[in-house]
Each structure stands twice: as structure tokens, then as C-alpha cells.
Amino acid sequence: MKLTDITSGHYDAGEWEAKGYQLPRYDIAAVAKKTHEAPTWVHFGGGNIFRAFPAAILHDALNSGEYDRGVIVAETFDYDVVDMAYTPYDNLSLLVSLQSSGTIEKKVIGSVTEALKADFQHADWQRLVEIFRTPSLQMISFTITEKGYVVTPADLDRGLTPMLAMGKVTALLLERFKAGALPLTIQSMDNCSHNGDRVKAAVFAYARRWQSDGLVPQAFIDYLSDESKVTYPWSMIDKITPRPHQKVQEILAADGFEDNAYIETAKHTFTAPFVNAEEVQYLVIEDNYTNGRPPLHLGGALYTTRETVDQVETMKVTTCLNPLHTAMSIYGCMLGYTLISAEMGDSDLRDFIQKLGYIEAMPVVTDPGVLNPYEFIGTVINRRLPNPFLPDAPQRIAMDTSQKLPIRFGETIKKYIARGLDMDNLQLIPLVLAGYARYLKGIQDDGTPFTPSPDPMLEELQAIVAPLEVGKSEQDYSCLKSLFSRADVFGLDLYAAGLGERIEGMVKELYAGPGAVRTTLHKYVKAR
């Protein structure tokens, strides 16, 4: 069983389906032909998240019979991905959905019709120019990570032959401008807040520099600024797509599916002909398109207003997912856990995040309407975090915690203050912040040392708690004032918010000695 058997027509559909493989219900070759002649969508970034999510929901739209165009992938960073993960398999891939029940779902994805290298020195560049000059093109999108939108002065010095992703995109937009200022929507699908503004800022950084250097006319800037021509919608995307899993590889091999090789490129991109991902996914998009759009709603995408996208993002980041992750990472590291899924078997930790979300954070959530906050948290707790296939570790999630606390907890506290809510309702959020002062010590609850995860402020914050010792009965905790008054770490001065002394008391309990983390956690969770 090979993916290329499907495109060649030399396969037994019954055999595949008997082994649980869902095959495309559309004519792959016909879709590829129509897409080549009149493309509608180009996606930049051919990594695992793209194949597991945007390409997969387009596949579902094609299966509905209500659409007939695929997506063209343009890889901007690691061209080996095209040569090793797309071309040898005729652009097909196998999506393996990892169910929280411990089972898997297998689906052959055929929506990608071309995989191109966005390289000025490669013949594929002329194909991209051709596509961008085609009136039918409706949308370009991105999964290039948040750092892919960062533009430095050195990047801008490259002139009209930029090497980084957004420079290449701007050069292609110039081609679309030259072809008649054709309309287009530039859609980020990266997991960062207000992502449409980030891609817009990157495009304008190049365009304005080129205009000031006399390389492009002012009319090009006007074109990019004209919302009847070009738009930059916001989106919220949420789906965990880990590296190819050995357990999945073994399952596929046992089926007789031969395209199960693990691929690592020279640039250390980890991929495979298959992509494994969690079953749960969300893609909420601002519906602001200038030339029509692929009907991704047929595959489950939600189209709405910019305000609603922002509300969904805020709901996820400040209440329903990210704060729960951080709480689990801080206490999981101190309690010796190495897997988030294992933590979910710990009743104290499970109750901790459940009550934190439902009881303490929920009162200040704005219901976005398109996703129910209560159902979102329920899915996180009952299906996402316990998933045995997702080897996520608290140590990974604990990276850069100092940068996350202001948004994940500070914003909730600010809303309590702004709305005049009873601060006594906050017990578990303070416990998370108190736990951070104990986590910085790098000593597990059983007394053994651990290395806190990388963080740009780690050494500075560890120096603040350096005078404290675990298990010392009489000691001066006044150093905590220097920590919990830091608005840059917590989003506000916790003493001014009326929480500083309460958190200090919790810290003293957590430092009492071996076993104190468990005892303190259990005490406050049960009391809640």
C-alpha cells in the first residue's frame, strides 16, 4: 500500500478501506488540472500543521462535491520538504487523527495539487509569478510560525531579491499589482494574536522600503492599502500537530502501508509521508475577502467578524486553554511529571485546572458566540489533555513562562478589578503564581533538583528567590515583594491588586518542606 498507487490507479480501494483508510471521493487528477488552469489558493509553508489542518479541511470540502479546486503549496524555508515529503508521493499525504480514546483515524489527503519552491533561482519561481498574475487567485495563506513575519533592517537591505518569506511574498504581490492591481486576500493561519496585522506589517515593511529606494511606485503602496483590493484578515487556529510518532509509524507498517518513513531534512525539519495530529481543531477566520474565497466552511472553518475572532483568541489565551497549560506545567515540573497526559490522571491536578477555568476565569470571559467557552474547556480537559498519543511535556510548556503570565493570568485579574468583582473568588490563580515562585527554585516536591525550562528572565527571577530555602522553618520572605510587584512579569502589581499578601502566604506553604507542594495543592483545590 503506497500513496502513489492511488494516483496511478493501481490499487484495491476495498483493501485500503477494509484497513480503515478513508480515500478521496473526488477525482484527484481533475482537481489538479482545474487548479493548474485557474488557481484560487496558494499556501506558504508546507509543514505538518498545514497538511493536518488547512489542507485537510479543503480535502473535506472537495469530498462534499461542492468545490473543485485544490491548494498549491509554496515552501519558503526548507526546500527539502518539497523534494522529500511532497514530490515522491505525488503531493498526497496520510492524515492520522489521534483520538483521545487511544484509537486512530486514517485519511488520505489529496487536496494539494502542486508543491513549489519559493526560490528566485529555481524554475518554480516563474510558476509562482504566473499564478500571482492569474485573476482567479483569491487567497494566499501562511503557516510559517510567528517569527516568519519578523523583518529586520538587514532583511530590507536585500532589495528586490529578498531571501526571507515575507520579502518573497511582497515580490509576488508586486507581480499581481503589475498584472492590473488584481484583488487578493492575504490570510495568516499562524497561531499568534492579531496575525493579520503581523503579515500586513511585514508586507508594508518591504513595500515602503522599496518605494523609498525608488524600486516600486507609490501606486504599489496604494494598492496594498486599498481594502477593496487587498485585505489581511485575522484568524484563530488551534490544533496540536506533533512530530511523526513512532507508535503511529508502527501501526501503519502493520497495516502494510509502506509510506511510513521518518524524514529529517538537512535543516532539521521533521516530517513524513504521514502526519499525525490531535482530533480536535479550530479555525476561526475574519470573513473579509476581496475576490471570493475557497469554501473552507465545508470542512469546518468558521467565518465571522474581526471582533469575534479577537474574542475567540482572548477566550483561548486567557481562560480556556493557555492558562490551564501553564498551571499544569508549573506544578507538573515540581511533582516530577514528564507528560501532560499523565498529569490528567492526577485528581489534584485535574481538579486544579478544571476549577481554575470554570470557577475563577469564566466569570470574565466574553462568549464569542461561535464557540461555547464551557464546551471548549470541557473538550480541553476530557479529550485534548488526556490524549495518550500526544507526548507533550510540562517542561516544554513551561518554556518562557515569564512571558506568558501577564496575558494568561494578568488579564483575568485586571478584568476582575475593572468589573468590581470579588477578589476573594480568586484562590487558584494566586496558587499558580505562588507556584511560580516555588518553581523558580528548581527543586521538586520530593527534594530532588530539576532544571527550569529556558526563559529569557530565568536568571533574574531566580536571583530574587535565591534567599529562600525549601524546608527552612524560619526565614525572611520579604524578597517576594520584589517578585510579585513586577508588572512586567504578572501584568500588574499584585500587591496593588490586593493579592500580594495572599500569594505570599501560599508561597510560605509551598516552601515548608518535602511534600509541601502536594499538600498545598490538595488543600486549596479541595477547598475550592
Side-chain angles (χ1 to χ4, degrees), residues 422-437:
D422 186 358
M423 298 297 282
D424 287 340
N425 191 50
L426 297 179
Q427 296 293 329
L428 300 184
I429 288 177
L431 186 63
V432 176
L433 306 182
Y436 188 53

mmCIF file of all heavy atoms in Angstrom, residues 422-437:
data_model
loop_
_atom_site.group_PDB
_atom_site.id
_atom_site.type_symbol
_atom_site.label_atom_id
_atom_site.label_comp_id
_atom_site.label_asym_id
_atom_site.label_seq_id
_atom_site.Cartn_x
_atom_site.Cartn_y
_atom_site.Cartn_z
ATOM 1 N N ASP A 422 -15.532 40.334 43.167
ATOM 2 C CA ASP A 422 -14.974 39.970 44.463
ATOM 3 C C ASP A 422 -13.643 39.248 44.282
ATOM 4 O O ASP A 422 -13.589 38.134 43.746
ATOM 5 C CB ASP A 422 -15.969 39.072 45.211
ATOM 6 C CG ASP A 422 -15.527 38.756 46.637
ATOM 7 O OD1 ASP A 422 -14.431 39.205 47.034
ATOM 8 O OD2 ASP A 422 -16.282 38.048 47.336
ATOM 9 N N MET A 423 -12.559 39.865 44.731
ATOM 10 C CA MET A 423 -11.228 39.271 44.569
ATOM 11 C C MET A 423 -11.050 38.023 45.428
ATOM 12 O O MET A 423 -10.147 37.231 45.191
ATOM 13 C CB MET A 423 -10.156 40.305 44.930
ATOM 14 C CG MET A 423 -10.166 41.541 44.032
ATOM 15 S SD MET A 423 -9.795 41.174 42.295
ATOM 16 C CE MET A 423 -8.022 40.987 42.387
ATOM 17 N N ASP A 424 -11.924 37.853 46.445
ATOM 18 C CA ASP A 424 -11.843 36.638 47.244
ATOM 19 C C ASP A 424 -12.203 35.401 46.436
ATOM 20 O O ASP A 424 -11.926 34.272 46.862
ATOM 21 C CB ASP A 424 -12.781 36.741 48.459
ATOM 22 C CG ASP A 424 -12.241 37.695 49.518
ATOM 23 O OD1 ASP A 424 -11.025 37.962 49.503
ATOM 24 O OD2 ASP A 424 -13.043 38.182 50.337
ATOM 25 N N ASN A 425 -12.825 35.607 45.279
ATOM 26 C CA ASN A 425 -13.149 34.479 44.406
ATOM 27 C C ASN A 425 -11.896 33.869 43.785
ATOM 28 O O ASN A 425 -11.929 32.755 43.273
ATOM 29 C CB ASN A 425 -14.111 34.924 43.298
ATOM 30 C CG ASN A 425 -14.683 33.757 42.521
ATOM 31 O OD1 ASN A 425 -15.184 32.798 43.104
ATOM 32 N ND2 ASN A 425 -14.599 33.808 41.194
ATOM 33 N N LEU A 426 -10.794 34.622 43.824
ATOM 34 C CA LEU A 426 -9.540 34.150 43.232
ATOM 35 C C LEU A 426 -8.701 33.436 44.289
ATOM 36 O O LEU A 426 -8.165 34.064 45.204
ATOM 37 C CB LEU A 426 -8.765 35.319 42.631
ATOM 38 C CG LEU A 426 -9.447 36.057 41.473
ATOM 39 C CD1 LEU A 426 -8.574 37.206 40.982
ATOM 40 C CD2 LEU A 426 -9.757 35.101 40.321
ATOM 41 N N GLN A 427 -8.599 32.126 44.156
ATOM 42 C CA GLN A 427 -7.774 31.308 45.036
ATOM 43 C C GLN A 427 -6.776 30.469 44.244
ATOM 44 O O GLN A 427 -5.616 30.349 44.625
ATOM 45 C CB GLN A 427 -8.658 30.384 45.892
ATOM 46 C CG GLN A 427 -9.576 31.115 46.855
ATOM 47 C CD GLN A 427 -8.819 31.837 47.948
ATOM 48 O OE1 GLN A 427 -7.738 31.415 48.372
ATOM 49 N NE2 GLN A 427 -9.377 32.958 48.426
ATOM 50 N N LEU A 428 -7.225 29.901 43.128
ATOM 51 C CA LEU A 428 -6.361 29.012 42.352
ATOM 52 C C LEU A 428 -5.444 29.779 41.409
ATOM 53 O O LEU A 428 -4.312 29.347 41.167
ATOM 54 C CB LEU A 428 -7.220 27.996 41.582
ATOM 55 C CG LEU A 428 -8.091 27.108 42.482
ATOM 56 C CD1 LEU A 428 -8.827 26.074 41.646
ATOM 57 C CD2 LEU A 428 -7.249 26.413 43.552
ATOM 58 N N ILE A 429 -5.909 30.902 40.883
ATOM 59 C CA ILE A 429 -4.996 31.732 40.081
ATOM 60 C C ILE A 429 -3.848 32.228 40.957
ATOM 61 O O ILE A 429 -2.675 32.135 40.550
ATOM 62 C CB ILE A 429 -5.755 32.885 39.394
ATOM 63 C CG1 ILE A 429 -6.611 32.325 38.249
ATOM 64 C CG2 ILE A 429 -4.781 33.948 38.870
ATOM 65 C CD1 ILE A 429 -7.471 33.351 37.537
ATOM 66 N N PRO A 430 -4.104 32.744 42.163
ATOM 67 C CA PRO A 430 -2.974 33.063 43.061
ATOM 68 C C PRO A 430 -2.090 31.863 43.351
ATOM 69 O O PRO A 430 -0.867 32.003 43.485
ATOM 70 C CB PRO A 430 -3.675 33.572 44.325
ATOM 71 C CG PRO A 430 -4.961 34.146 43.833
ATOM 72 C CD PRO A 430 -5.379 33.234 42.715
ATOM 73 N N LEU A 431 -2.682 30.680 43.437
ATOM 74 C CA LEU A 431 -1.887 29.471 43.704
ATOM 75 C C LEU A 431 -0.936 29.174 42.543
ATOM 76 O O LEU A 431 0.187 28.707 42.758
ATOM 77 C CB LEU A 431 -2.811 28.277 43.951
ATOM 78 C CG LEU A 431 -2.129 26.977 44.389
ATOM 79 C CD1 LEU A 431 -1.431 27.153 45.733
ATOM 80 C CD2 LEU A 431 -3.138 25.835 44.459
ATOM 81 N N VAL A 432 -1.369 29.448 41.309
ATOM 82 C CA VAL A 432 -0.479 29.280 40.152
ATOM 83 C C VAL A 432 0.714 30.224 40.292
ATOM 84 O O VAL A 432 1.877 29.825 40.116
ATOM 85 C CB VAL A 432 -1.213 29.569 38.830
ATOM 86 C CG1 VAL A 432 -0.228 29.486 37.658
ATOM 87 C CG2 VAL A 432 -2.355 28.593 38.618
ATOM 88 N N LEU A 433 0.438 31.481 40.627
ATOM 89 C CA LEU A 433 1.501 32.484 40.710
ATOM 90 C C LEU A 433 2.429 32.215 41.890
ATOM 91 O O LEU A 433 3.645 32.403 41.780
ATOM 92 C CB LEU A 433 0.874 33.877 40.805
ATOM 93 C CG LEU A 433 -0.128 34.212 39.676
ATOM 94 C CD1 LEU A 433 -0.651 35.629 39.828
ATOM 95 C CD2 LEU A 433 0.492 33.998 38.304
ATOM 96 N N ALA A 434 1.863 31.737 42.985
ATOM 97 C CA ALA A 434 2.701 31.329 44.121
ATOM 98 C C ALA A 434 3.576 30.139 43.720
ATOM 99 O O ALA A 434 4.758 30.063 44.081
ATOM 100 C CB ALA A 434 1.819 30.958 45.318
ATOM 101 N N GLY A 435 2.992 29.223 42.957
ATOM 102 C CA GLY A 435 3.743 28.059 42.491
ATOM 103 C C GLY A 435 4.931 28.451 41.643
ATOM 104 O O GLY A 435 5.971 27.781 41.648
ATOM 105 N N TYR A 436 4.804 29.570 40.906
ATOM 106 C CA TYR A 436 5.910 30.018 40.063
ATOM 107 C C TYR A 436 7.115 30.395 40.930
ATOM 108 O O TYR A 436 8.271 30.109 40.569
ATOM 109 C CB TYR A 436 5.471 31.195 39.208
ATOM 110 C CG TYR A 436 6.489 31.611 38.172
ATOM 111 C CD1 TYR A 436 7.031 30.695 37.282
ATOM 112 C CD2 TYR A 436 6.920 32.938 38.082
ATOM 113 C CE1 TYR A 436 7.970 31.069 36.329
ATOM 114 C CE2 TYR A 436 7.851 33.331 37.134
ATOM 115 C CZ TYR A 436 8.374 32.393 36.260
ATOM 116 O OH TYR A 436 9.305 32.766 35.317
ATOM 117 N N ALA A 437 6.867 31.019 42.083
ATOM 118 C CA ALA A 437 7.966 31.378 42.989
ATOM 119 C C ALA A 437 8.649 30.135 43.558
ATOM 120 O O ALA A 437 9.837 30.163 43.896
ATOM 121 C CB ALA A 437 7.445 32.259 44.119
#
